[in-house]
Amino acid sequence: MSIDAFETWLVNALVRKLRAACDKAVIAGTGSNQPTGLNAQSWDATNSVTVAKDATVTYDNLVDLEALVGEGFITNAVWVFNRKMKATLLKLKDDQKRPLFERAIEDGFVGYLLGYPVRLDANVKDGEAYFGDWKSGYVMNFAQPIEIASSEEAGFMSGSVVYRGMALADGKPTGVKGALVKLVQATA
């Protein structure tokens, strides 16, 4: 591998790791030395739909959730859930037995639900889905540019070079009513 190809590969690998850390923080961040995630937000009947423990998610649940998104946010709405929830939602059909979930080849077969784009995120818990305008519902701030650095000193004894990607970032839900809503399957 040439030096240029290696550097490109390395930067891409570090960016993927930083992105994964940011994705995790958006959903599950505690707010202590990391961004505050959506799990830390208060969810109630004004911003979420709860499906009973032994019930199955239905078309009506999705419509009720869509109705909680404000008018100013619905045009940019996106679904976010994990692969297990995707499998649950793929099984939903309308009265004519047509699937509600539309797969899209150009989108890596992720697709659309009720006409809105779907994004998969392994950080979302099983039985949960978020829906809404993410740019209005969550804010992430990078206090300085992402830094990618190397050090020969750290690996001196082994002749190694250590690489580091670092970002100083903070984030939290905006709390804007109707921007982001949540579907959750009750566990108790």
Side-chain angles (χ1 to χ4, degrees), residues 54-142:
D54 296 326
T56 304
V57 176
T58 65
Y59 172 76
D60 289 349
N61 297 137
L62 300 179
V63 170
D64 290 343
L65 191 69
E66 181 185 26
L68 294 176
V69 176
E71 288 300 321
F73 306 113
I74 199 70
T75 56
N76 295 321
V78 175
W79 291 95
V80 176
F81 41 78
N82 68 21
R83 294 187 69 71
K84 190 171 182 181
M85 185 60 139
K86 178 184 175 190
T88 298
L89 297 174
L90 275 169
K91 297 172 187 173
L92 293 178
K93 297 182 176 47
D94 66 13
D95 292 339
Q96 283 79 38
K97 305 294 183 206
R98 295 176 298 200
L100 297 177
F101 199 105
E102 302 168 33
R103 293 181 185 235
I105 296 170
E106 69 276 1
D107 199 21
F109 290 102
V110 176
Y112 297 86
L113 181 61
L114 300 181
Y116 300 98
V118 169
R119 299 290 173 256
L120 298 179
D121 188 330
N123 298 298
V124 178
K125 294 178 186 175
D126 292 347
E128 293 183 356
Y130 294 96
F131 179 63
D133 182 343
W134 288 81
K135 290 181 182 179
S136 297
Y138 193 90
V139 64
M140 178 76 79
N141 179 43
F142 288 86

Side-chain angles (χ1 to χ4, degrees), residues 41-63:
Q41 181 172 321
S42 178
W43 298 98
D44 58 31
T46 66
N47 61 3
S48 68
V49 170
T50 301
V51 179
K53 180 182 178 186
D54 296 326
T56 304
V57 176
T58 65
Y59 172 76
D60 289 349
N61 297 137
L62 300 179
V63 170

